């Protein structure tokens, strides 16, 4: 593989595309914000800017890193008529697994493969190329594209058929959101009792309640009021909603997921579209 398309140069996509360019791959890029694509091309020699979907016709693979399933659907359906037989779409957004399966079927009619390869680890791991990547799709297609994924991530796991990557990403983000809410509530309750918030976090980190929020978010983004981790509350609410809906569609009771989905959605509505997900700490604070 020498020519790669990359669509979506946001906070995660830009550093991921940068790593592919640094690996010597020829890139064709596109973003809904023309300035983002132009800025990336200006800083990366040899990068081509796609003016339309036809510009990806010669790509061996096209990576999409987009905000939600509606945008993913629109982009992939626009791409489909232009991709060559044998090409592959690598869908790395957080998306609805059911809709992912429908896109895979659409592309298969044109002899184009699709693997879903959402990521976990945030902007920091996107920058240093250590993302966790969970991949759904045909095992042979995954094996063929693994070297490309290894340019962007470290813990790369084939988790099942098409859609399985997106399903597991949503479930992971549900677990993460539940832990964040539980941590925030515990800090507020402990503080009300008279315990120093920093001490609460430190003791939990030395105890069985330790989790990603206590280790990587509480001191860094919550207690200091920074609330700038780089992952939006709106996207977290979207992912938790996917997880809750998945459980419901599979007739698997997920009462806590439904509650976490309701809380994150309400928090996003109240705090606004630009809120960081760590601002859940403010949302659950006592009045």
């Amino acid at each position: 593989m020498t020519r790669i398309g990359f669509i979506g140069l946001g906070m995660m996509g830009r550093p991921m595309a940068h790593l592919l360019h640094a690996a010597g791959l020829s890139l064709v890029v596109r973003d809904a914000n023309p300035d983002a694509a132009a800025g990336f091309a200006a800083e990366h020699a040899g990068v081509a800017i796609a003016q339309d979907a036809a510009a990806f016709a010669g790509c061996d693979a096209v990576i999409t890193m987009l905000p939600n399933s509606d945008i993913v659907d629109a982009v992939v359906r626009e791409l489909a008529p232009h991709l060559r037989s044998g090409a592959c779409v690598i869908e790395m957004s957080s998306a609805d697994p059911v809709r992912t399966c429908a896109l895979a079927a659409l592309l298969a009619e044109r002899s184009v493969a699709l693997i879903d390869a959402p990521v976990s680890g945030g902007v920091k791991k996107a920058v240093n190329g250590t993302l966790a990547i969970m991949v759904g799709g045909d095992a042979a297609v995954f094996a063929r594209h693994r070297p490309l994924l290894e340019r962007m991530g470290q813990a790369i796991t084939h988790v099942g058929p098409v859609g399985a990557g997106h399903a597991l990403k949503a479930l992971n983000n549900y677990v993460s959101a539940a832990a964040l809410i539980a941590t925030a509530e515990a800090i507020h309750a402990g503080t009300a009792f008279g315990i120093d918030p920093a001490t609460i976090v430190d003791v939990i980190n030395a105890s069985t309640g330790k989790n990603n929020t206590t280790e990587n978010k509480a001191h860094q983004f919550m207690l200091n009021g920074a609330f700038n981790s780089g992952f939006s509350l709106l996207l977290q609410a979207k992912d938790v909603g996917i997880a809750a809906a998945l459980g419901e569609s599979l007739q698997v009771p997920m009462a806590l997921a439904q509650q976490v989905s309701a809380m994150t959605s309400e928090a996003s509505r109240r705090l606004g579209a630009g809120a960081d997900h760590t601002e859940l700490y403010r949302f659950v604070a006592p009045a």
Side-chain angles (χ1 to χ4, degrees), residues 183 187 196-206 214-215 218-219 223:
T183 299
I187 293 171
D196 178 70
T199 299
I200 295 170
V201 174
D202 291 342
V203 171
I204 292 175
N205 275 332
T214 60
E215 288 189 298
H219 284 305
L223 298 187

Side-chain angles (χ1 to χ4, degrees), residues 84-131:
R84 65 170 181 78
S85 175
C88 181
V89 171
I90 304 177
E91 214 302 282
M92 302 190 76
S93 320
S94 295
D96 183 332
V98 174
R99 295 171 73 171
T100 301
C101 292
L103 289 177
L106 171 72
L107 291 173
E109 294 175 359
R110 300 176 177 276
S111 299
V112 175
L114 181 146
I115 57 176
D116 49 305
V119 305
S120 182
V123 174
K124 180 179 178 181
K125 291 194 173 185
V127 170
N128 61 27
T130 59
L131 289 166

